[in-house]
Amino acid sequence: MGSAYTAVKDPARTRFVYRDQLWQGADLAGLGVASFGHINGVHMQNYDTWETYSAAIDGGNIPLNRAYRPTDEERLIRELVLQLKKGSIRPKYFSAKYGVNILERFGDQFRSLAAEGYLTEKSDEVVSISRQALLRVDVLLPRFFLPQHREIRYT
């Protein structure tokens, strides 16, 4: 299964390096108006209008609007929700990288997805969501966010 946002004709021959690497914590420099980047564990976003972005460039400055260094828990959650957008996650990946059993840590969230019919498998090996869940994934994922992040709208 792939993301609702990234489809390829032949998955055996084509990879989405952006999705597959960035969604596992790799660095990416954001280039362009309102672009997001992630470098050395810091999330950044450039200015979100052409006027402010180009004025910074013309002035010899980096067009950075804001930056944030997430906590370990926020990095875990970020990777979890991004990888769920691909349709499945591997609990052992999170255990090895973060030392967290996500089946226990996010038990309530997984139970709610199952109760709503969106979970197709939940085991120590894989957690998979249904095609219907993948089509609604951005609405379903905030249940995994920390409470203070659930109502934030990003531009």
Side-chain angles (χ1 to χ4, degrees), residues 3-104:
S3 166
Y5 312 104
T6 54
V8 296
K9 186 174 182 178
D10 183 358
R13 294 182 40 201
T14 306
R15 290 181 45 220
F16 260 97
V17 174
Y18 164 80
R19 178 197 70 194
D20 297 342
Q21 298 301 308
L22 180 69
W23 290 9
Q24 291 182 1
D27 288 347
L28 175 76
L31 305 174
V33 176
S35 295
F36 284 94
H38 177 84
I39 299 176
N40 291 329
V42 177
H43 295 286
M44 297 164 266
Q45 184 183 21
N46 291 339
Y47 288 116
D48 61 356
T49 67
W50 177 251
E51 293 76 20
T52 55
Y53 181 87
S54 60
I57 298 291
D58 290 344
N61 298 309
I62 296 172
L64 184 62
N65 183 37
R66 59 186 175 167
Y68 179 72
R69 181 176 298 279
T71 66
D72 289 343
E73 183 176 30
E74 289 168 332
R75 280 193 295 279
L76 163 70
I77 292 168
R78 177 180 183 270
E79 284 192 44
L80 176 77
V81 299
L82 288 173
Q83 289 181 36
L84 273 171
K85 286 184 177 205
K86 293 169 62 177
S88 66
I89 55 172
R90 305 260 176 227
K92 289 179 182 177
Y93 167 86
F94 294 95
S95 179
K97 185 168 183 178
Y98 292 100
V100 174
N101 180 332
I102 61 165
L103 299 176
E104 291 175 7

Side-chain angles (χ1 to χ4, degrees), residues 1 87-88 110 113-114 117-123 126-134:
M1 193 179 277
S88 66
F110 290 129
L113 286 175
Y118 292 125
L119 220 58
T120 56
E121 182 176 350
K122 181 182 156 222
S123 70
V126 67
V127 175
S128 299
I129 59 175
S130 69
R131 183 175 189 279
Q132 284 297 66
L134 203 51

Side-chain angles (χ1 to χ4, degrees), residues 127-143:
V127 175
S128 299
I129 59 175
S130 69
R131 183 175 189 279
Q132 284 297 66
L134 203 51
L135 294 173
R136 305 189 68 237
V137 74
D138 286 330
V139 173
L140 300 174
L141 293 177
R143 69 188 71 200

